[in-house]
Amino acid sequence: SLFDATKTKGFPMEGLWKHSLAVGEFARRIAKLEKLDKETIDSATTSGLLHDVGKLIIAVKLPRQYREILSLKSAKKISDWEAEYEILNVTHADVGAYVLGLWGLSASVVEAVAYHHCPSQCNKPTFSALTVAHVANVLEHEMARDLPLACMDEAYLKERGLLCRLPQWREKCQAATFTIVP
């Protein structure tokens, strides 16, 4: 209800919605393929759905800075989160994780949202909702052909013995067929 398209000119609400739904579905598929427990599957799916909520918060609460972020992103050909950090000294991942924490979401969801671009910065050594959300997000960007702006943290996956699983995860996500009705 806080979203006002006139104040957030240029914010791709429909694109964010589609991307978030796809990442949530990819996360669910990957977590189920890996036979994770129900709680982790639910956390991974929720993380995928909410991983970019900070983008909406920035656009709504800081519309002038959001426009600066878009300009910088375009001018420098950098990712959203790199431009956000240059302008705000925080990223949408930081903002989203903070707000989700205030709302009382689980620590695993907050962690996954906080580190979805840079899982190596998290000290969690296990396969978790963070791992799944990171992979699902990058695969969705890859399939949408957004890639150089979303990079797989292969060192993180390799360190956990998971890099070899990437082809199966990619195949499972590519098989996803669903229609998003606005």
Side-chain angles (χ1 to χ4, degrees), residues 2-177:
L2 292 176
F3 186 72
D4 181 351
T6 61
K7 289 183 183 176
T8 54
K9 186 177 180 198
F11 186 80
M13 186 62 167
E14 186 174 335
L16 176 69
W17 177 242
K18 288 179 179 179
H19 171 69
S20 297
L21 287 174
V23 174
E25 175 61 16
F26 289 2
R28 187 186 67 76
R29 285 171 174 259
I30 292 167
K32 281 188 162 193
L33 181 66
E34 295 304 314
K35 298 178 178 31
L36 299 177
D37 61 84
K38 183 180 177 347
E39 184 178 332
T40 306
I41 292 170
D42 291 346
S43 290
T45 303
T46 301
S47 300
L49 287 168
L50 298 176
H51 75 284
D52 279 344
V53 70
K55 288 182 180 184
L56 181 58
I57 295 166
I58 291 169
V60 169
K61 292 298 186 181
L62 302 168
R64 181 186 54 78
Q65 292 91 333
Y66 179 72
R67 288 189 296 277
E68 289 175 26
I69 289 164
L70 292 179
S71 294
L72 182 63
K73 176 186 169 187
S74 178
K76 287 190 165 185
K77 305 277 189 264
I78 58 177
S79 68
D80 291 341
W81 64 271
E82 290 167 314
E84 291 159 359
Y85 194 80
E86 280 196 42
I87 301 290
L88 303 173
N89 208 30
V90 296
T91 70
H92 68 272
D94 302 321
V95 171
Y98 178 76
V99 170
L100 295 176
L102 291 176
W103 290 347
L105 272 79
S106 71
S108 64
V109 171
V110 172
E111 175 184 83
V113 170
Y115 295 103
H116 74 270
H117 289 294
C118 50
S120 291
Q121 291 181 4
C122 182
N123 292 329
K124 189 156 195 139
T126 59
F127 188 60
S128 65
L130 166 59
T131 310
V132 177
H134 169 69
V135 171
N137 181 51
V138 175
L139 289 178
E140 200 288 325
H141 280 293
E142 179 184 281
M143 289 177 207
R145 299 197 179 18
D146 283 352
L147 251 169
L149 298 182
C151 297
M152 190 72 69
D153 190 339
E154 291 185 2
Y156 171 84
L157 295 175
K158 186 174 183 179
E159 191 175 287
R160 284 149 185 80
L162 297 169
L163 191 57
C164 62
R165 299 295 295 143
L166 194 52
Q168 289 84 14
W169 297 338
R170 183 175 281 116
E171 183 180 322
K172 191 72 168 173
C173 293
Q174 286 172 336
T177 55

